[in-house]
């Protein structure tokens, strides 16, 4: 297992984590950040659309629930609890490089009512919870 990059360490340090939180990492790649979040006491589900990255992540293990799924297909399984924290690092449809409103809706659908969503781009971690919640009438 390789060490955590300074970029991912900064993301992990900036997240409002505490042991026992359910965390979803979107676009997890080989799972380095997800493994760090487990090390910090969180229950982590990591999703990525790349079969190659998913295979590496599964081999690395680390107590992470790795799932091969595209963001557009993201949904909670029957009976699955929503997530307290959602984080995405350099995921274009969430970080503004390739904006996709449907992706934001998917994130909102898996987030707990008091959960928070974060997106990292170019070293900046932004709280995007207000973007994934439906507007109140």
């Amino acid at each position: 297992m390789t060490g955590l990059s300074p970029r991912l360490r900064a993301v992990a340090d900036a997240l409002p984590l505490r042991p026992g939180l359910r965390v979803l990492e979107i676009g997890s790649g080989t799972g380095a950040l997800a493994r760090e979040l487990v090390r910090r006491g969180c229950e982590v589900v990591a999703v990525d659309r790349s079969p190659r990255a998913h295979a590496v992540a599964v081999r690395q293990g680390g107590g992470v629930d790795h799932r091969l799924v595209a963001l557009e297909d993201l949904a909670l399984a029957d009976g699955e609890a929503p997530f307290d924290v959602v984080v995405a690092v350099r995921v274009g449809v969430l970080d503004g490089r390739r904006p996709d409103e449907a992706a934001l809706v998917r994130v909102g659908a898996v987030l707990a009512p008091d959960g928070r969503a974060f997106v990292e781009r170019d070293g900046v971690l932004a709280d995007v919870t207000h973007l994934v919640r439906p507007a109140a009438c």
Side-chain angles (χ1 to χ4, degrees), residues 11-12 14-18 20-26 33 37 42-46 81-88 107 110-119 125-127 129 132-133:
V11 169
L15 289 170
L17 301 175
R18 65 180 185 281
L21 287 181
R22 272 182 58 78
V23 179
L24 172 67
E25 183 188 4
I26 298 171
L33 177 59
L37 300 181
C42 297
E43 176 189 341
V44 181
V45 173
F83 295 94
D84 302 302
V85 174
V86 174
V87 61
V107 172
V110 301
L111 193 62
D114 59 345
R116 293 174 63 193
F118 298 88
V119 173
L125 186 67
D127 186 332
T129 306
V132 303
R133 298 271 185 225

Side-chain angles (χ1 to χ4, degrees), residues 33-58:
L33 177 59
R35 289 188 302 276
E36 175 64 16
L37 300 181
V38 166
R39 192 186 71 70
R40 294 180 185 207
C42 297
E43 176 189 341
V44 181
V45 173
V47 299
D48 201 284
R49 70 180 336 135
S50 165
R52 176 179 269 166
H54 175 75
V56 171
V58 168

Side-chain angles (χ1 to χ4, degrees), residues 62-130:
V64 178
D65 178 358
H66 294 284
R67 300 179 189 175
L68 180 61
V69 63
L71 181 54
E72 50 271 23
D73 298 322
L74 182 65
L76 295 172
D78 287 340
E80 183 177 19
F83 295 94
D84 302 302
V85 174
V86 174
V87 61
V89 176
R90 287 197 52 83
V91 176
V93 297
L94 296 175
D95 72 11
R97 290 178 292 139
R98 295 184 316 269
D100 183 342
E101 191 169 322
L104 294 171
V105 170
R106 290 280 186 196
V107 172
V110 301
L111 193 62
D114 59 345
R116 293 174 63 193
F118 298 88
V119 173
E120 188 274 353
R121 180 179 178 196
D122 298 330
V124 177
L125 186 67
D127 186 332
V128 297
T129 306
H130 64 287

